[in-house]
Amino acid sequence: PPMLELVARLDAWLARNRPDYYAHLLPGLTAEELVLFESQLGVTLPDSFRALYLWRNGHCDTRTECFHGNREWMSAED
């Protein structure tokens, strides 16, 4: 499925099944922040990565629960 559809499914699933984790997700990057992020990395990010980080920018650092398994979802700043 297209990435925007997958992001919508992830949004709904997290809201329904992991509401505590969902509440600690950071707001998505703005288009301008995403362009700055790409320039700092020196790369053009894939459209799927851009869609994900426009939706949410990882989870806040104070959150102790992992995204999946022992994996954390890093913010662009991290």
Side-chain angles (χ1 to χ4, degrees), residues 10 13-14 17-22 24-25 58-74:
L10 178 62
W13 191 91
L14 288 173
N17 294 292
R18 297 194 54 203
D20 292 338
Y21 180 83
Y22 184 79
H24 288 90
L25 290 175
H59 65 261
C60 65
D61 290 337
T62 60
R63 190 75 189 142
T64 57
E65 188 176 356
C66 293
F67 178 65
H68 180 351
N70 196 27
R71 296 172 183 89
E72 294 188 13
W73 185 2
M74 292 174 53

Side-chain angles (χ1 to χ4, degrees), residues 29 37 57 61 74-78:
L29 297 174
F37 182 48
N57 183 23
D61 290 337
M74 292 174 53
S75 68
E77 184 178 283
D78 290 339

Side-chain angles (χ1 to χ4, degrees), residues 12-70:
W13 191 91
L14 288 173
R16 184 176 54 254
N17 294 292
R18 297 194 54 203
D20 292 338
Y21 180 83
Y22 184 79
H24 288 90
L25 290 175
L26 298 171
L29 297 174
T30 65
E32 295 81 19
E33 290 170 329
L34 195 52
V35 168
L36 177 61
F37 182 48
E38 286 180 318
S39 70
Q40 290 170 335
L41 293 174
V43 299
T44 300
L45 296 168
D47 289 341
S48 57
F49 187 98
R50 293 174 60 82
L52 186 63
Y53 275 79
L54 286 168
W55 167 63
R56 297 292 182 152
N57 183 23
H59 65 261
C60 65
D61 290 337
T62 60
R63 190 75 189 142
T64 57
E65 188 176 356
C66 293
F67 178 65
H68 180 351
N70 196 27

